[in-house]
Amino acid sequence: MTSPDPQAVHTYLAALQQQICSALEDVDGEARFIEDPAEYPNRGVSWPRILEGGRHIEKAAVNFTHARGDRLPPAATARKPELAGRGFEAVSMSLIVHPRNPYAPTTHANLRFFVAAGGPEQKPIWWFGGGFDLTPYYGFDEDCVHWHQQAHDSVAPFGAQMYARFKDACDAYFFLPHRNEPRGVGGLFFEDFNALGFTRTFEMVQSVGDHFLPAYLPILGRRIETPYGARERDFQLYRRGRYVEFNLVYDRGTKYGLQSGRRIEAVLASMPPMVRWQYDHTPPPDSAEAALMTRYLTPRDWLSGG
Amino acid sequence: MTSPDPQAVHTYLAALQQQICSALEDVDGEARFIEDPAEYPNRGVSWPRILEGGRHIEKAAVNFTHARGDRLPPAATARKPELAGRGFEAVSMSLIVHPRNPYAPTTHANLRFFVAAGGPEQKPIWWFGGGFDLTPYYGFDEDCVHWHQQAHDSVAPFGAQMYARFKDACDAYFFLPHRNEPRGVGGLFFEDFNALGFTRTFEMVQSVGDHFLPAYLPILGRRIETPYGARERDFQLYRRGRYVEFNLVYDRGTKYGLQSGRRIEAVLASMPPMVRWQYDHTPPPDSAEAALMTRYLTPRDWLSGG
C-alpha cells in the first residue's frame, strides 16, 4: 500500500493549473492571466491566476494552493474533530470561467487533497475531493451530453457506479434551496473520497483533471462566436446572480475562505465580472430563456437520451 | 402603562411606506413603483413595492410586512428560545435605494416591531428594531454631517446617549469582517429595544421614520445631476459588490428570509440592479476613490468636525 504523497499531488495539480491557463489563453487569443503568488513561511503557498476582460473570456480564475501546518485549527475539522491539533497538508486547484458570450456556459472545477498525520500508531488520514460542473445560460442538449459523457468516461474505469454516484452528489451540492433551483446542469462532485487507496484514488483524480479541458473546450469553442444582443446579455447577467447567491450563501469553500482570513481577493476571485438583479424576472413562455429552467435546470440523465 | 399596539405600528409604517414611495417617485420624475401584494390567510400580508430603471433611481425596494401566527417557529426565536410556540405579530417596513448617479449614495432603512403573547400571568413581550444607514461611493463631508445630524436629532429627545449608542451599534453591525471594512458611513441601528415603554419607544421609532426623508432627500437632490463618466460608474458597480457580500453573508434579515421560505423575490429585492467584481481593485492614491476608504469608510464622529 502506497503512502499518501502530497508532493505528487502538488506536482500534478500545479501542472494542471498551467495547462488549463495556457488553453484558456489560446481560446481567448488576446488576454493573459496575471499571477499573484504568495508564500507563507511554514504555512504554504497560494498561486492565484486571474484573467479579466478578454475577448472571449470575461473572467477566469485558476487558483493553486498548497497549505501546511503543524496543528490543524478546530475550524478546519468541524466534521472530523478528532483531527484537531495534528499536522496537515492541503493541496488544491480550483477554477472558474465566465465567458463573455451568453451562449457559452460558465464552468467550475476543483480538485483537492488533504492529509493529516496519524495519531499514535495510526496511519495518516487522507482524502480527495473535487469534480467539475457546468452552468449554461442557454441550454444545448449536445453540450450537456458531451459534458456528461466526459464526466462519465473520466471515472468509469474506477468503478461502475462512480459516475452515477458523483453526478447525484453534484446535483445535490450545487443547488439553491431558496430558489429551489439547481445551479447548473451538474457534472461530478466527490468529497472525503479515499475508497480506492491512495494510488488508485489519485489516478482517478488525475483522470478527472485530465478530462476537464476535453469536456469544456469543445463547448466553449462552438459557442463563443454565436451572435447575441442585449436580450441574451441581460439574461446572462441576471442568471449570474444565481452564481453569486450560491457562492456567498452556500459554497463551503467560499464560506471557509471568508472565515479563515485567507486572502479575500483569491477567495472571491470566483465572483462574476458583471451581474444584475431584477425583481421577479419571468422569461416569456416557450422562449430559450424559459427552456433553461424547464429543460436544463432539472436533474436529468443526459447519457440515456435526457 | 400602554399595551403594545401592533395595529398602531401597522398604520404608521404602512403610511410611511406610502410617503417614502411618493417622495422617491417625485425625485425620479419618470419611473413608478410597482406593487406586488400578497396575503396569507391567518399569517399576514406582504406588500413589496419596487421601482426599477428610473431616470435617477436605478432601483428602490420599499417593503411592508405584517406577519402573525399562533405559534412562533423555533428558528425565529434562536435568541429567545423561551418564546417558541407563542402567538406573535411582526410589523416591518424596510427599504433600499440604489441611485443611478455614482455621486448619490445608496441608503437602507428598516423599522420593525415584534410582540409575542406572554406566558401564564405574564405581559406580552415586545420590542422595536431598526434604523437607517448611508453607503456613499464618493464621499462628501457635508452629506455625512447632514445625515448624522438628522440621525442625532431623531433620537436626541429620547435620551442623551441614544444617538451615540445607536451610531456605534450601526457601525458595529454594518461591517464586513472578511474585508475589514464598514459597509458605509453609518447612521442609526437598534435592536430588541423597549427601554422607554411602548408609547415612548413607539414615539422614538416614529421620529426615526419621520427623519428618514429629511435626511436622505437633500443628499439625493444635490448629487443626482452631477456629471459622471465610465470611471465613476465602474467604481460604483464595483463598490456595490460589497453591498451584495454584506447582504448575502451577514445580514440577519436576509439570512432569515432565505431560510424562512418567504417570497424570495421580496427578500432579495434589496440586491443592487447591476454589480461587478474585479480582482484586487486598487484606486490610485489621492483619488476620490481612495478617499472613500481613507476618509469615509472609517467610523468617525461627524457631528464634532469629523
Side-chain angles (χ1 to χ4, degrees):
Chain A
M1 182 142 171
T2 315
S3 298
D5 183 351
Q7 194 53 46
V9 179
H10 176 122
T11 300
Y12 172 72
L13 290 180
L16 185 62
Q17 180 195 33
Q18 173 60 42
Q19 184 190 4
I20 290 172
C21 289
S22 295
L24 292 173
E25 287 179 345
D26 286 350
V27 168
D28 192 73
E30 287 182 3
R32 290 284 172 267
F33 279 89
I34 60 148
E35 304 189 15
D36 191 11
E39 182 160 355
Y40 307 96
N42 302 319
R43 292 202 298 122
V45 298
S46 157
W47 298 336
R49 294 195 199 172
I50 316 290
L51 182 155
E52 289 179 306
R55 178 167 158 249
H56 293 303
I57 298 178
E58 196 170 334
K59 184 174 182 183
V62 188
N63 288 355
F64 173 89
T65 61
H66 187 162
R68 51 171 67 89
D70 293 334
R71 294 175 60 82
L72 263 177
T77 55
R79 288 180 302 153
K80 315 256 179 187
E82 70 276 17
L83 297 185
R86 298 194 191 171
F88 73 99
E89 293 193 57
V91 189
S92 165
M93 195 284 303
S94 66
L95 70 87
I96 195 156
V97 182
H98 291 289
R100 191 175 293 282
N101 193 306
Y103 287 102
T106 286
T107 190
H108 159 260
N110 172 236
L111 293 171
R112 57 191 185 278
F113 173 69
F114 175 86
V115 59
E121 304 189 28
Q122 265 192 329
K123 291 183 175 169
I125 311 251
W126 62 270
W127 60 76
F128 283 95
F132 51 66
D133 61 282
L134 194 72
T135 306
Y137 305 96
Y138 289 88
F140 296 95
D141 281 22
E142 63 173 323
D143 293 356
C144 298
V145 170
H146 171 78
W147 181 258
H148 278 277
Q149 190 65 55
Q150 292 290 319
H152 171 273
D153 293 354
S154 73
V155 295
F158 302 90
Q161 296 308 310
M162 290 295 179
Y163 167 70
R165 176 178 161 188
F166 295 164
K167 176 190 186 293
D168 289 350
C170 192
D171 289 337
Y173 182 76
F174 293 105
F175 185 80
L176 288 78
H178 66 278
R179 300 280 190 182
N180 193 29
E181 277 179 22
R183 185 171 84 168
V185 297
L188 301 172
F189 182 82
F190 54 97
E191 272 195 309
D192 299 354
F193 189 86
N194 56 16
L196 306 177
F198 177 78
T199 300
R200 191 74 177 139
T201 302
F202 183 31
E203 284 171 6
M204 185 190 81
V205 166
Q206 291 173 80
S207 179
V208 171
D210 294 345
H211 277 78
F212 170 73
L213 285 174
Y216 189 55
L217 291 183
I219 296 172
L220 193 58
R222 66 185 169 229
R223 303 298 166 206
I224 55 177
E225 301 281 10
T226 309
Y228 67 92
R231 169 177 170 161
E232 293 93 336
R233 177 70 172 167
D234 281 353
F235 187 63
Q236 176 196 44
L237 299 191
Y238 172 75
R239 291 296 313 177
R240 281 180 180 168
R242 300 293 202 272
Y243 225 83
V244 173
E245 292 174 20
F246 182 84
N247 282 13
L248 292 181
V249 177
Y250 302 109
D251 186 63
R252 289 174 209 152
T254 306
K255 284 176 114 155
Y256 174 71
L258 292 178
Q259 290 162 13
S260 68
R262 280 183 53 206
R263 282 195 296 171
I264 196 62
E265 290 297 329
V267 172
L268 294 181
S270 63
M271 299 299 269
M274 190 77 88
V275 189
R276 73 184 189 93
W277 275 269
Q278 177 181 339
Y279 188 78
D280 205 17
H281 180 281
T282 309
D286 302 324
S287 63
E289 292 82 3
L292 177 67
M293 292 305 307
T294 54
R295 175 148 185 85
Y296 296 96
L297 297 190
T298 305
R300 196 176 287 278
D301 181 0
W302 289 104
L303 300 187
S304 59
Chain B
M1 182 142 171
T2 316
S3 298
D5 183 351
Q7 196 53 46
V9 179
H10 176 122
T11 301
Y12 172 72
L13 290 181
L16 184 63
Q17 179 194 33
Q18 173 60 42
Q19 184 191 3
I20 289 171
C21 289
S22 295
L24 292 173
E25 287 180 345
D26 285 349
V27 168
D28 193 73
E30 286 181 4
R32 290 283 173 268
F33 279 89
I34 61 148
E35 305 189 15
D36 191 11
E39 182 160 356
Y40 307 96
N42 302 318
R43 294 203 295 121
V45 298
S46 157
W47 297 337
R49 293 194 198 174
I50 317 289
L51 182 155
E52 288 179 306
R55 177 167 158 250
H56 293 302
I57 298 178
E58 197 170 336
K59 183 175 182 183
V62 188
N63 288 356
F64 173 90
T65 61
H66 187 161
R68 51 172 67 89
D70 292 335
R71 296 175 58 84
L72 263 177
T77 55
R79 288 179 302 154
K80 316 256 178 185
E82 71 275 18
L83 297 185
R86 298 193 191 172
F88 73 98
E89 293 192 57
V91 190
S92 165
M93 196 283 303
S94 65
L95 69 88
I96 194 156
V97 183
H98 291 289
R100 190 175 293 282
N101 193 306
Y103 289 101
T106 286
T107 190
H108 159 261
N110 172 237
L111 293 171
R112 57 189 186 277
F113 173 69
F114 175 85
V115 58
E121 304 190 27
Q122 266 191 326
K123 291 183 175 170
I125 311 249
W126 62 271
W127 59 77
F128 283 95
F132 51 66
D133 62 282
L134 193 73
T135 305
Y137 305 96
Y138 290 88
F140 296 95
D141 281 22
E142 63 174 323
D143 292 357
C144 297
V145 170
H146 171 77
W147 180 258
H148 277 278
Q149 189 66 55
Q150 292 290 318
H152 170 273
D153 293 354
S154 74
V155 296
F158 302 89
Q161 295 308 312
M162 290 294 180
Y163 166 70
R165 177 177 160 189
F166 296 164
K167 176 190 185 295
D168 289 349
C170 193
D171 289 337
Y173 182 76
F174 293 105
F175 185 81
L176 288 77
H178 66 278
R179 300 280 191 181
N180 193 29
E181 277 178 21
R183 185 172 84 168
V185 298
L188 301 172
F189 182 81
F190 53 97
E191 272 195 311
D192 298 354
F193 189 86
N194 56 17
L196 306 177
F198 176 77
T199 300
R200 191 75 178 139
T201 303
F202 183 30
E203 285 172 5
M204 186 190 81
V205 166
Q206 292 174 79
S207 180
V208 171
D210 293 345
H211 277 78
F212 170 74
L213 285 174
Y216 188 55
L217 290 183
I219 296 171
L220 193 58
R222 66 186 170 228
R223 303 296 165 208
I224 55 177
E225 301 281 9
T226 309
Y228 67 92
R231 168 177 171 160
E232 294 93 336
R233 178 69 172 168
D234 281 354
F235 187 63
Q236 176 196 44
L237 298 192
Y238 172 74
R239 291 296 313 177
R240 280 180 181 168
R242 301 294 203 270
Y243 224 84
V244 173
E245 293 174 19
F246 182 85
N247 282 15
L248 292 181
V249 178
Y250 301 109
D251 186 63
R252 288 173 209 152
T254 306
K255 284 177 113 153
Y256 173 71
L258 292 178
Q259 290 162 12
S260 69
R262 281 183 52 206
R263 281 195 298 171
I264 196 63
E265 289 296 331
V267 172
L268 294 180
S270 63
M271 298 300 268
M274 189 78 87
V275 189
R276 74 183 187 93
W277 275 269
Q278 178 181 338
Y279 188 78
D280 205 17
H281 179 282
T282 309
D286 302 324
S287 63
E289 292 82 3
L292 178 67
M293 292 305 308
T294 54
R295 174 149 185 85
Y296 296 97
L297 296 191
T298 305
R300 196 176 286 279
D301 181 359
W302 289 104
L303 300 187
S304 59

